Each structure stands twice: as structure tokens, then as C-alpha cells.
Amino acid sequence: EDQVTQSPEALRLQEGESSSLNCSYTVSGLRGLFWYRQDPGKGPEFLFTLYSAGEEKEKERLKATLTKKESFLHITAPKPEDSATYLCAVQAGNTGFQKLVFGTGTRLLVSP
Amino acid sequence: DAGVTQSPTHLIKTRGQQVTLRCSPKSGHDTVSWYQQALGQGPQFIFQYYEEEERQRGNFPDRFSGHQFPNYSSELNVNALLLGDSALYLCASTRRGVAGGPNEQFFGPGTRLTVL
């Protein structure tokens, strides 16, 4: 069964204090690993897709990396507006229909 | 370009009642998935519709059913509501993927269902 584990559950940073979020996964036939940002009471907002080990994607202060067993979301010099829950999800299978399997997320709070 | 839309935003029901939630996919998308997100948890896959048929289903009872219309919009129906059905229900849309590649899903704002 496909599984995703995210750590830490919660992370509190000072503005400008860089850190990383971890997503470890077990899946048969990875099609893609996805990072989403979710604000309270809202739907997840798509951030990145990663597919191959060694792949990296960047967007503003965020950088996502992928190995064969885990992914990291690096946050450089975060700002208070980066506060949100960050969700990791995997997609597996070799058909055109693939569900997403999510972790429980990391709640990030950035203080000014 | 409108993204994924859902209605209603909030809904309050009592145990045993039935509910219907609605979703319109992002322009150009033909596949709709539904997820349930309990407080403090990640979204859990309910089912996925393509060409008006259920293509994949997660570990949810038959009380959860759905429908997709020719314009690709979708409904989620839940019968005999239980207190544990209280959650944020998310709709996600995508274009049907080609075997071998990732397939991004884009989410709507969700419907908050409270069962009393």
C-alpha cells in the first residue's frame, strides 16, 4: 500500500530563518510526487511536481528536491506570508487514472 | 480562466440526512476526483470520474456515490449521514493522463460539511 509520511508535524520559524520539510514515501511505480500549500479552510494550492530522483524545482523562496525514498521542501529566508500547511502527495500506477495519496502535512508558522 | 469551483461553501446537516455537493472543473480538464479531509489530516481519496464513469474508488462505503455530467462537472452524494462524515470535501480536476507520466490535479476551495 502506498504511504506518505511528513515531518515535522509542525514547525515554527522566525522570519528569515531557513529550514526544510521532509516527505518520505513508499510506493509501487512512482508517477509523480507533488507539493501543495494549504491555507486554513481552503483547498490545496499546487506548488511542484517531481518525477525523477535528483530532480529539483524552485519557486520564489521554495525549492523541492527528490530522492528515491524522500522529498524535501526547502524554505529560504521565509516570510510570515509563507505560513500555511504544506502537503506532500504521491501518485502511482501505469494507467491514465491515478489517485493522490497524501501525507498529514507540516504546519508552518513564520513569526515576524 | 476560472479554476475549479465548488458549491455550496458550507453546509449543515443532521444525522441520517442526505447531501449533494457540486463541482465544476478547470477549463480544459475532463477528469474529476473527490477527496475528504478531516481536521488536521491530509485529503483522503474518495473516487475519480472520467467520461461519466467511476474509474477509481478509495476505501469509502457505498453511502458515498457520484456522478459526472457531459460538461465534465460532477456531484458527490452522501446518504445516511454520520457524525464522522463532518469534513472538508475537496474536488480536484485534471486532464486524463498518459501512461508513464505525472498528472497534476488542481483543487477547488472545498465544501465544509458539518453533521449534527
Side-chain angles (χ1 to χ4, degrees), chain B residues 26 37 69 106 109 114:
Chain B
K26 183 179 169 66
Q37 186 176 26
F69 299 93
F106 294 87
T114 302

Side-chain angles (χ1 to χ4, degrees), chain B residues 49-115:
Chain B
Y49 276 83
Y50 171 73
E51 289 188 336
E52 302 179 48
E53 290 188 17
E54 184 183 293
R55 300 293 179 165
Q56 272 193 315
R57 189 178 182 93
N59 189 25
F60 280 80
D62 292 344
R63 298 187 297 109
F64 289 77
S65 63
H67 188 78
Q68 186 180 34
F69 299 93
N71 67 352
Y72 309 120
S73 66
S74 177
E75 288 182 349
L76 165 65
N77 301 291
V78 186
N79 295 321
L81 285 167
L82 304 174
L83 295 179
D85 295 331
S86 295
L88 182 67
Y89 287 84
L90 296 163
C91 171
S93 76
T94 189
R95 185 186 300 274
R96 181 179 182 273
V98 176
N103 183 239
E104 292 93 353
Q105 296 186 15
F106 294 87
F107 286 81
T111 294
R112 170 68 63 187
L113 173 65
T114 302
V115 182

Side-chain angles (χ1 to χ4, degrees), chain A residues 18-103:
Chain A
S18 301
S19 187
S20 295
L21 313 182
N22 177 263
C23 170
S24 62
Y25 63 92
T26 54
V27 63
S28 299
L30 181 70
R31 290 285 296 270
L33 184 140
F34 305 87
W35 283 97
Y36 289 86
R37 169 192 169 126
Q38 186 174 29
D39 293 305
K42 298 189 176 181
E45 175 190 347
F46 172 77
L47 292 174
F48 302 110
T49 302
L50 301 167
Y51 176 56
S52 302
E55 191 174 2
E56 298 182 352
K57 294 277 182 72
E58 286 189 67
K59 179 181 180 180
E60 296 181 355
R61 295 177 292 282
L62 300 177
K63 178 180 176 180
T65 62
L66 181 66
T67 72
K68 288 187 177 180
K69 293 187 176 181
E70 58 190 355
S71 176
F72 292 93
L73 185 65
H74 307 279
I75 304 176
T76 302
K79 298 182 178 181
E81 52 261 43
D82 294 322
S83 298
T85 295
Y86 290 86
L87 294 166
C88 172
V90 295
Q91 198 172 61
N94 56 7
T95 73
F97 307 105
Q98 308 98 29
K99 65 181 181 182
L100 292 174
V101 177
F102 281 87

Side-chain angles (χ1 to χ4, degrees), chain B residues 10-57:
Chain B
H10 297 90
L11 207 50
I12 299 175
K13 293 286 187 178
T14 57
R15 282 178 296 174
Q17 285 190 311
Q18 178 264 344
V19 68
T20 298
L21 310 181
R22 295 176 176 82
C23 169
S24 291
K26 183 179 169 66
S27 178
H29 288 181
D30 55 11
T31 303
V32 172
S33 300
W34 287 92
Y35 293 81
Q36 180 195 66
Q37 186 176 26
L39 203 60
Q41 300 297 313
Q44 298 291 314
F45 176 75
I46 302 174
F47 41 54
Q48 185 175 75
Y49 276 83
Y50 171 73
E51 289 188 336
E52 302 179 48
E53 290 188 17
E54 184 183 293
R55 300 293 179 165
Q56 272 193 315
R57 189 178 182 93

